[in-house]
Amino acid sequence: VLSRAFRNRFLEITVDDIPTDEITEILCKRYSLAPSFAERMVEVMNTLQMRRQSSHVFAGRHGFITPRDLFRWAERRPEDYQALAEHGFLLLGERCRKPEERQVVHDVMEKCMKVILDANVIYDPTHWPFVNKYYQLVEALNLKEKIVWTNSMQRLFTIVGLCLEHKEPVLLVGETGSSKTTICQVWAAVLEQHLHIINCHQHSEAADFLGSLRPAPPGSSEGLFRWEDGPLVRAMRSGDIFVLDEISLAEDSVLERLNSVLEPSRTLTLAEKSTCLLYTSDAADEEDSVDLGGRRIIKKKKNEYKRRTRVMIND
């Protein structure tokens, strides 16, 4: 909570929720949806907001769905009411941890869309053209471990595949040994993409996946230090798959560094990356140096050291 002294320095404006009629207009104009599709989606949102999730009781009416979920749903651009309901159930129902909460989403979707949702069809990889294309390739691959296609494995393969088709980030939540990492390895294999896996822990830092300044090899023309990209940056440059394992162990401040990557634009600004200057304690020219706390710092151009990374080395 921001302090009153800090808030008093701003002109504070309270932003209300987007009215439902404006949400319908946004869905139609931004995502080119038919007005009837947009109206039914808003109807689903209003109906679910009247329910409360026992596992997210403090989320209030946004426990089941938020406007952001509605816009992500529209991004999939379904062609008919059946596809609209199926995508809506996969987006909203699959994050519910309790079966009874998932059933609530299922019933509301059927009631508002006036269709029948069959779980056996929705979770069947052959029901979705993109998923089926790669599902047929799995058996032909020489994987280290043979995949046993149980119902839960097919469900997981289908859901992750649809997210990859629509370029959506995936958060897999489950117990150890529930094939979360395995399904990522399978999709990386069928897509013929390199898989970068980073295991998080309590002391994980943003530099572990973004990169950092490292000592340059002796005799390098780059100077004493150079920037080395981390696994996430390398994956973004090459279009590879990046998996952050045990993400719940990392600090929130570290994970917030990924916010821009999880947006639809998928951009990343490396504020940590800069041209490195070495500031030593044995400056050759006393007139071009300044003493800070017992350390002698070489000055290049005026104000240059203010814009670049400062590396301090004691005697």
Side-chain angles (χ1 to χ4, degrees):
V1 178
L2 299 177
S3 66
R4 181 173 294 276
F6 183 78
R7 292 170 61 179
N8 285 341
R9 287 169 170 78
F10 296 88
L11 175 61
E12 188 170 338
I13 301 175
T14 302
V15 181
D16 298 327
D17 292 339
I18 306 175
T20 55
D21 57 337
E22 293 185 9
I23 293 180
T24 303
E25 183 180 359
I26 293 173
L27 293 174
C28 293
K29 293 184 177 180
R30 181 175 179 178
Y31 302 101
S32 302
L33 290 179
S36 57
F37 278 30
E39 291 171 359
R40 299 238 181 143
M41 292 170 67
V42 172
E43 181 183 354
V44 169
M45 184 183 70
N46 292 335
T47 305
L48 287 176
Q49 285 183 342
M50 291 188 294
R51 311 293 181 94
R52 293 290 186 272
Q53 279 184 294
S54 58
S55 58
H56 294 86
V57 63
F58 295 108
R61 65 193 186 97
H62 294 302
F64 279 109
I65 186 172
T66 66
R68 183 184 288 267
D69 298 322
L70 207 63
F71 300 147
R72 184 179 293 113
W73 185 6
E75 283 280 4
R76 294 200 170 188
R77 291 176 168 79
E79 298 179 352
D80 52 39
Y81 288 122
Q82 184 68 38
L84 184 66
E86 290 174 351
H87 281 293
F89 174 72
L90 290 174
L91 285 169
L92 303 176
E94 287 305 322
R95 67 183 182 187
C96 298
R97 299 192 178 186
K98 296 184 178 180
E100 55 269 23
E101 293 176 347
R102 189 178 303 171
Q103 188 63 39
V104 169
V105 177
H106 180 276
D107 295 342
V108 169
M109 204 67 64
E110 286 190 335
K111 178 182 177 182
C112 296
M113 298 296 174
K114 297 178 174 58
V115 298
I116 301 299
L117 294 178
D118 186 353
N120 295 326
V121 175
I122 296 176
Y123 297 138
D124 186 359
T126 60
H127 178 63
W128 308 94
F130 177 85
V131 180
N132 182 45
K133 173 184 176 182
Y134 294 100
Y135 180 66
Q136 304 300 328
L137 299 176
V138 175
E139 293 299 331
L141 294 175
N142 186 19
L143 299 177
K144 294 182 179 180
E145 299 180 0
K146 183 175 178 58
I147 304 299
V148 180
W149 289 106
T150 61
N151 291 335
S152 59
M153 192 65 176
Q154 290 186 359
R155 165 182 169 267
L156 196 57
F157 184 84
T158 300
I159 297 171
V160 173
L162 290 173
C163 292
L164 291 175
E165 178 185 6
H166 296 92
K167 296 179 173 58
E168 298 167 345
V170 187
L171 178 63
L172 299 177
V173 181
E175 297 295 333
T176 302
S178 55
S179 304
K180 299 187 300 297
T181 304
T182 300
I183 206 65
C184 297
Q185 294 171 335
V186 171
W187 268 110
V190 296
L191 292 174
E192 297 181 351
Q193 293 180 329
H194 184 67
L195 180 64
H196 303 260
I197 301 180
I198 295 296
N199 290 286
C200 295
H201 49 82
Q202 293 179 344
H203 304 290
S204 293
E205 299 178 352
D208 295 338
F209 47 85
L210 294 182
S212 60
L213 290 168
R214 302 291 178 85
S220 174
S221 60
E222 299 176 347
L224 295 178
F225 290 86
R226 69 178 182 181
W227 173 266
E228 288 191 8
D229 291 335
L232 175 60
V233 178
R234 292 197 299 269
M236 294 180 69
R237 290 184 183 276
S238 305
D240 298 331
I241 297 178
F242 180 77
V243 174
L244 205 57
D245 204 2
E246 302 295 345
I247 194 173
S248 58
L249 298 180
E251 295 288 342
D252 290 343
S253 59
V254 175
L255 300 180
E256 286 174 359
R257 193 66 179 83
L258 299 174
N259 283 344
S260 61
V261 182
L262 302 178
E263 293 292 335
S265 59
R266 292 190 172 192
T267 58
L268 178 64
T269 301
L270 292 175
E272 299 87 349
K273 182 178 180 180
S274 62
T275 302
C276 179
L277 295 179
L278 176 64
Y279 300 107
T280 66
S281 59
D282 53 345
D285 190 347
E286 294 289 336
E287 295 181 356
D288 291 333
S289 63
V290 60
D291 191 355
L292 291 180
R295 299 180 180 90
R296 186 69 61 181
I297 299 180
I298 301 174
K299 295 189 299 181
K300 298 297 182 182
K301 295 180 181 179
K302 190 173 183 180
N303 297 329
E304 185 176 13
Y305 66 87
K306 294 182 180 179
R307 302 194 309 269
R308 303 192 178 193
T309 303
R310 294 186 291 275
V311 180
M312 305 293 188
I313 299 180
N314 291 324
D315 288 332

